[in-house]
Every structure is written in C-alpha cells, then in structure tokens.
Amino acid sequence: MGFQIGGTILDFVVLSILRNKDEYGYVLTQEVRDILDVSETAMYPSLKRLQKNNLLSVYDVPYQGRNRRYYKLTEEGRVVLEKYMKEWNELKKHMDRLLGEDFDHVNG
C-alpha cells in the first residue's frame, strides 16, 4: 500500500483485531502486517502506548517453557474502537462519494 500509515490507523487495526479475541504478540503482529505495511519494530511501541492509555491490558501464559504475552482489549479500548469505527465509516462515505464512478471504473 502506498499510503503513509500513522499511529491512529495502526491503533485502529490493533484494536479491531483484538475486538473478538485476545492474541499474543507474534500472532497479533502477523495479523497487523497482513493488513498494513508496518515493521515489527513499530508494533511494540504502539502496543505499549495502547497499554499505557488503558486501551489494552496484558497477561502472560506459559507455553513450552516460555511465556507468551497476550493482549486484551479493555472496556476503554472498546469505547475508543467504537469511536474509530464511526470516524472510519464517515471518512469512507466521503471518499466513496468523492471517487464515485471513477473509483468503480478502476476496480471493475
């Protein structure tokens, strides 16, 4: 993707992935990277920021002699995710209207 990805979009994607299930760091990073062109090193500061802002909580689960750090959406995180979803839908509506038939022609 050629768009510059800012922190808010990355946060939105992370919160969206964690909406229905907790996930440990490696898998979460892979799921984000399936959607966004983001480096692994950019992920962990984002996760720390989300945790610091009480949008995510973390817990460890032992696995084959090591701990896996799982990330879980908090209630505050759900509120922020709902806000992001509304803002995204509004932006999408405006972009669809702006691009109109030209956009449909490119995709069809």
Side-chain angles (χ1 to χ4, degrees):
M1 178 183 279
F3 293 105
Q4 184 73 23
I5 301 302
T8 303
I9 293 292
L10 179 56
D11 292 353
F12 181 28
V13 170
V14 168
L15 296 176
S16 296
I17 290 170
L18 295 173
R19 180 177 55 174
N20 296 318
K21 65 182 183 332
D22 301 353
E23 198 57 83
Y24 71 97
Y26 176 78
V27 169
L28 178 58
T29 299
Q30 297 310 307
E31 289 185 31
V32 169
R33 291 183 77 192
D34 285 346
I35 298 166
L36 299 175
D37 183 19
V38 63
S39 71
E40 205 168 303
T41 56
M43 278 294 300
Y44 289 96
S46 175
L47 292 171
K48 285 285 189 195
R49 182 180 65 254
L50 290 168
Q51 184 182 353
K52 180 182 174 190
N53 292 333
N54 198 36
L55 304 181
L56 297 180
S57 61
V58 297
Y59 60 93
D60 293 334
V61 174
Y63 179 77
Q64 296 180 352
R66 298 181 56 191
N67 280 336
R68 285 184 170 171
R69 174 143 296 172
Y70 279 78
Y71 295 87
K72 176 183 177 124
L73 196 58
T74 63
E75 284 306 312
E76 210 170 313
R78 289 187 189 286
V79 169
V80 169
L81 176 59
E82 287 293 321
K83 177 182 158 241
Y84 285 164
M85 290 169 64
K86 287 176 185 173
E87 291 174 3
W88 180 262
N89 284 328
E90 191 66 23
L91 175 63
K92 181 182 179 315
K93 181 175 71 176
H94 289 295
M95 290 303 295
D96 287 347
R97 186 174 53 235
L98 174 66
L99 297 172
E101 291 181 25
D102 293 335
F103 184 71
D104 291 337
H105 177 72
V106 170
N107 284 322

